[in-house]
Amino acid sequence: MAKATFTFPSGFLWGTATAAHQVEGNNTNNTWWAWEQETGHILNGDKSGLACDWWGGRWREDFERAAECRQNSHRFSIEWSRVQPAPDRWDEYALEHYRDMARGLIERHMTPMATLHHFSDPIWLAEMGSWEIDDIVKYFEAFVRKTVEALKEYISAWVTINEPNIFAALAYQQGQFPPGKKDFASARKVIMNLLKAHATAYRVIHQIQPQAQVGIAPQYLSIHPKKPWSPLDRWTAGLMNNVMNEAIPRTIRTGILTLPGMRRQLVEVKNTWDFIGIQYYTREYINFDLGKASDLFIHRSYREEAEKSDGNWLANEPEGMFEALKWGQQFNIPIIITENGVNDKDDHLRPRYLIQHLHQVWRAINFNIPVKGYYHWSLVDNFEWERGWTQRFGLWELDIETQARRKRPSVDLYAEICRQNGISSDIVAHYAPQLLAKLFPDE
Ligand code: BGC
């Protein structure tokens, strides 16, 4: 075996990512809490409950774990319904809580990155129509202004909106997230409003913090036609790629939003980013299916030979990471991988998944693709939206009854990678020996 190390650039950001509703607990004033109370929405009828009890202060012990494992950054999100519990009320205690968290990261030598919208909305906003109404832009602007004013001393890296593409699709077109709509026209309107709100947030943040780094974090799904020789499969895959991957970033690049049945000039959106956050998990194969008229004839599947995660939810397709980064290069701005990870309770697949995906990141950097950081999803098991507690993405395992955390083997693997700022053949030999011959071939 060749002995070698894939070294990352100095200053590379190594972190994990979390989202408020998934970790805080007792988030009783938002759309997800309300959604969890209605039967049939969440697998097993699970509830977020105390989640990881970060609101109760357990963020401290989890940040301590992250710091001990040599992570130098953490991405967390701010819960709008906590900061603004009613349209005419701000909660200074909540803002102080987030200031505490940001200070807690800095004290532990981790750079904070904060997300301003990660899938959850205040109930009062939902009652007004949330992302379907034009006033959303004004409401989001006020929330962003207040939050950034409060945190500007500590945070200068902001993600405006987490996965706007997934949020619009799942909440307004596929009905799995609140408000549970299944209406393409609503989803289109929501995409437009998300873009406008993002652009407004970008400007507000720069007014307050001219030096801030502001980005948006779409999910990049690697989409391939199932039968590359079939024009229909190619057409369907192209359509899906356009809606899912291209529409939002292209609008930010060009100022023109194009979706099936919609074309809008949004000049105010053009170039409103300092970096792009890319979230990559998996690759799908698409074929044209006459029986799926309501889903734009799209039938989705995984490659049969690909390794799958628990419940066959994700396929381990590391080349898709390279593809995502190469795609991101066209925007000519820095790229941060704001999420990547796998649901794997027993940690059978995660070590391999992590090494293989990071190897692709390293390759991309060697092709001069400007990747500045990597945030693994996630630090600790957390409430996995419509799948409740059934899917475990944490480096640390969480016992929801006792709040005890237990280390999965991937904790030490990731710590070694962060410490070495690279992936050595020794690490691979220790954590995923099956990959050695492929990643470090002899001559
Ligand atoms: C989301 C996270 C989620 C993760 C795993 C991403 O789409 O941003 O909130 O937990 O994927 O499903």
Side-chain angles (χ1 to χ4, degrees), residues 418-432:
C418 298
R419 192 181 66 75
Q420 295 188 4
N421 195 35
I423 311 167
S424 67
S425 43
D426 287 342
I427 299 181
V428 177
H430 188 83
Y431 290 95

Side-chain angles (χ1 to χ4, degrees), residues 27-280:
N27 252 322
T28 56
N29 199 19
N30 73 16
T31 43
W32 269 91
W33 187 274
W35 190 245
E36 290 161 30
Q37 310 313 309
E38 295 171 18
T39 43
H41 291 151
I42 317 287
L43 261 184
N44 294 339
D46 284 354
K47 295 198 162 55
S48 54
L50 202 54
C52 310
D53 194 23
W54 277 23
W55 201 256
R58 283 186 209 264
W59 58 267
R60 286 191 186 79
E61 53 172 284
D62 286 334
F63 286 180
E64 199 59 39
R65 291 184 175 93
E68 275 168 16
C69 290
R70 309 298 282 264
Q71 295 172 31
N72 59 24
S73 185
H74 182 74
R75 169 179 173 234
F76 67 102
S77 86
I78 313 284
E79 173 60 40
W80 185 348
S81 65
R82 293 223 187 247
V83 171
Q84 192 177 10
D88 55 354
R89 196 150 55 82
W90 301 102
D91 185 336
E92 298 298 332
Y93 169 83
L95 287 165
E96 193 48 40
H97 176 99
Y98 291 120
R99 285 162 62 90
D100 244 9
M101 283 177 71
R103 274 192 298 262
L105 286 170
I106 294 165
E107 280 159 13
R108 292 172 178 84
H109 309 289
M110 291 188 282
T111 306
M113 173 186 266
T115 306
L116 291 157
H117 186 271
H118 196 130
F119 294 169
S120 53
D121 288 308
I123 288 176
W124 60 260
L125 185 72
E127 282 166 356
M128 294 180 181
S130 52
W131 291 92
E132 288 177 274
I133 56 167
D134 295 339
D135 277 352
I136 184 67
V137 179
K138 181 179 88 187
Y139 289 123
F140 191 62
E141 176 178 359
F143 159 66
V144 170
R145 194 176 290 284
K146 183 78 184 173
T147 304
V148 174
E149 278 293 353
L151 287 157
K152 63 182 178 203
E153 244 179 291
Y154 306 114
I155 300 180
S156 53
W158 298 96
V159 170
T160 55
I161 295 170
N162 181 74
E163 295 189 347
N165 49 345
I166 297 291
F167 176 66
L170 295 191
Y172 293 90
Q173 199 217 326
Q174 294 171 29
Q176 282 151 269
F177 282 14
K181 289 222 166 165
K182 294 185 182 171
D183 176 6
F184 195 62
S186 299
R188 276 194 309 233
K189 175 104 206 252
V190 167
I191 289 175
M192 187 174 74
N193 283 340
L194 286 162
L195 279 160
K196 288 181 176 173
H198 155 78
T200 303
Y202 179 85
R203 294 206 171 80
V204 168
I205 300 170
H206 277 289
Q207 269 168 22
I208 302 171
Q209 290 178 296
Q211 305 306 327
Q213 292 295 303
V214 184
I216 188 164
Q219 184 182 118
Y220 181 89
L221 178 66
S222 167
I223 297 172
H224 287 231
K226 183 153 186 184
K227 301 179 292 300
W229 44 265
S230 152
L232 278 177
D233 285 8
R234 284 206 307 273
W235 178 80
T236 323
L239 177 69
M240 179 157 165
N241 186 53
N242 188 34
V243 176
M244 170 77 191
N245 290 329
E246 303 287 352
I248 289 176
R250 189 178 49 219
T251 311
I252 304 180
R253 187 166 57 80
T254 62
I256 300 166
L257 171 63
T258 44
L259 285 166
M262 182 189 219
R263 186 183 158 85
R264 284 290 156 80
Q265 286 262 353
L266 296 177
V267 269
E268 71 275 28
V269 170
K270 193 171 172 181
N271 289 331
T272 53
W273 51 12
D274 306 310
F275 68 89
I276 179 166
I278 294 183
Q279 321 217 137
Y280 173 74

Side-chain angles (χ1 to χ4, degrees), residues 22 118 162-163 219 279 281 313 339 377 384-385 393:
Q22 295 179 272
H118 196 130
N162 181 74
E163 295 189 347
Q219 184 182 118
Q279 321 217 137
Y281 285 88
W313 189 13
E339 281 182 33
W377 185 273
E384 186 46 49
W385 307 114
F393 277 89

Side-chain angles (χ1 to χ4, degrees), residues 283-323:
R283 166 179 288 169
E284 288 185 8
Y285 288 81
I286 306 303
N287 62 292
F288 177 85
D289 184 345
L290 260 182
K292 294 224 163 212
S294 59
D295 294 324
L296 301 170
F297 303 104
I298 294 170
H299 180 268
R300 309 161 64 160
S301 59
Y302 288 139
R303 203 162 49 90
E304 247 163 57
E305 318 81 70
E307 287 176 284
K308 312 294 185 314
S309 67
D310 292 347
N312 293 324
W313 189 13
L314 298 172
N316 180 20
E317 295 277 16
E319 281 83 12
M321 173 64 95
F322 186 83
E323 178 191 308

